[in-house]
Amino acid sequence: MGSLSGLKALLVRAIQHNDLKEDIFISKLRSEGSDVIHLPVMQTVPKNQSPDINHINEYIVNYSSYNIAIFVSKSSVYFLLDWLKNNKKDYSDGLPLGPKYYAIGKTTADTLKNIRINAEYPKQDFSSEGLLDLPSFSAGNHQKVVIFSGVGGRKLLSDQLKVRGFLVHNCELYSRKCLKDFSSEINYLIGSDALDIVIIHSAELLENLLSQVLSRNLPTLKMLPILVPSKRIQCLAESFGFKKIICSPSASTEKMVSTLRECYSNFL
């Protein structure tokens, strides 16, 4: 019997874009006995219209001129590789070695390592704040940086690097859209008291979830324990009225699962 045996968890993050048959996070939870129900409230869509392709192409053509390349998520790695395979035959097997590579966290760094790219990343705080604390980003001296990300999201990393003297370029590879395909199932699970916990990986996911939960189910949802990956999202959840918030030190699979494991017997 696993350490999370009997735990019924709702996971709402987007389907992960990789070649694996099953999400690593889901696989780990299930291996420990949890019954994970994955009902995404977000989808990621590549930017593949003509203006977008031309815009992305400018960054790739000038890739060798960048001193630093930053990837903010696994999705940014996958979508760039897909774009290269479809549009740049010279790079169809992977990324060039020119810039120094950085990742927002271990999971993104591991994804880059799978394509033979070694990226530096924060060892504790897997976030923009953690990346900015690395010695490499203390002063820019006009170094050119390209940040691969999705449309929108936090601007802290880009803004702070500019303040510190880096020349920052943002290459947006995909967009995030609220997905409401599973609203009925989500409301049924909440309304029937069928869940033990909800797992939230980002502020946007929390907002998307709240936007499609019926008003009669909101009090029940806000009394459920939720697992979040940072103090920032914990504060947001508190502002929305959630009462039982479990905060992991980071969004990595290892930290999220170990935090849930530690709290399971006492908190749930």
Side-chain angles (χ1 to χ4, degrees):
M1 184 176 293
S3 58
L4 299 176
S5 181
L7 178 71
K8 196 157 190 176
L10 173 63
L11 178 68
V12 297
R13 76 176 181 183
I15 294 172
Q16 301 298 291
H17 291 269
N18 56 35
D19 296 325
L20 300 176
K21 292 182 179 179
E22 186 173 40
D23 185 300
I24 294 173
F25 182 67
I26 294 175
S27 179
K28 179 62 176 173
L29 287 176
R30 286 177 175 163
S31 73
E32 300 209 13
S34 176
D35 179 8
V36 183
I37 304 166
H38 188 195
L39 300 174
V41 297
M42 179 191 292
Q43 64 180 146
T44 51
V45 181
K47 294 182 69 176
N48 53 16
Q49 301 302 312
S50 293
D52 299 325
I53 291 175
N54 293 336
H55 187 62
I56 295 169
N57 186 62
E58 291 179 14
Y59 292 106
I60 303 305
V61 168
N62 296 307
Y63 201 79
S64 61
S65 70
Y66 292 105
N67 305 106
I68 293 170
I70 299 174
F71 289 83
V72 303
S73 66
K74 289 193 302 180
S75 293
S76 61
V77 180
Y78 295 132
F79 280 116
L80 180 58
L81 287 177
D82 284 345
W83 190 91
L84 290 172
K85 288 176 183 177
N86 294 328
N87 298 280
K88 287 289 181 183
K89 301 303 180 185
D90 292 344
Y91 299 144
S92 60
D93 293 329
L95 299 173
L97 296 175
K100 184 170 177 57
Y101 286 89
Y102 291 85
I104 205 79
K106 184 178 184 301
T107 302
T108 304
D110 287 344
T111 304
L112 286 165
K113 193 171 185 178
N114 289 338
I115 56 169
R116 303 181 299 280
I117 295 291
N118 291 317
E120 188 175 345
Y121 62 94
K123 295 303 183 281
Q124 296 292 332
D125 184 3
F126 299 160
S127 67
S128 296
E129 290 86 348
L131 197 66
L132 288 165
D133 282 341
L134 294 178
S136 304
F137 294 115
S138 59
N141 298 318
H142 304 292
Q143 292 182 82
K144 290 184 68 177
V145 178
V146 58
I147 301 175
F148 293 105
S149 66
V151 176
R154 301 179 74 199
K155 300 300 182 184
L156 176 69
L157 180 60
S158 177
D159 291 346
Q160 281 297 310
L161 288 176
K162 290 175 183 176
V163 168
R164 297 178 187 187
F166 291 89
L167 304 177
V168 181
H169 301 262
N170 295 289
C171 182
E172 297 177 332
L173 297 162
Y174 59 95
S175 60
R176 294 177 290 268
K177 296 183 178 180
C178 184
L179 181 66
K180 297 189 175 182
D181 292 14
F182 304 103
S183 293
S184 296
E185 292 94 327
I186 289 170
N187 277 284
Y188 173 77
L189 289 169
I190 296 170
S192 59
D193 289 323
L195 298 171
D196 297 311
I197 192 167
V198 180
I199 301 172
I200 303 289
H201 279 83
S202 73
E204 192 172 358
L205 287 171
L206 179 57
E207 291 166 350
N208 286 359
L209 174 62
L210 288 169
S211 74
Q212 52 194 287
V213 172
L214 299 174
S215 57
R216 67 172 182 268
N217 289 329
L218 281 173
T220 303
L221 172 64
K222 292 179 181 181
M223 287 304 296
L224 279 170
I226 63 169
L227 175 65
V228 300
S230 70
K231 292 291 185 183
R232 181 176 63 87
I233 301 173
Q234 178 183 359
C235 291
L236 179 65
E238 289 172 349
S239 73
F240 283 133
F242 285 86
K243 305 300 182 185
K244 302 175 182 178
I245 305 168
I246 305 169
C247 186
S248 169
S250 79
S252 73
T253 293
E254 294 83 0
K255 292 295 185 182
M256 292 282 278
V257 174
S258 65
T259 299
L260 183 55
R261 190 189 301 121
E262 290 169 9
C263 294
Y264 180 43
S265 59
N266 298 322
F267 192 43
L268 301 180

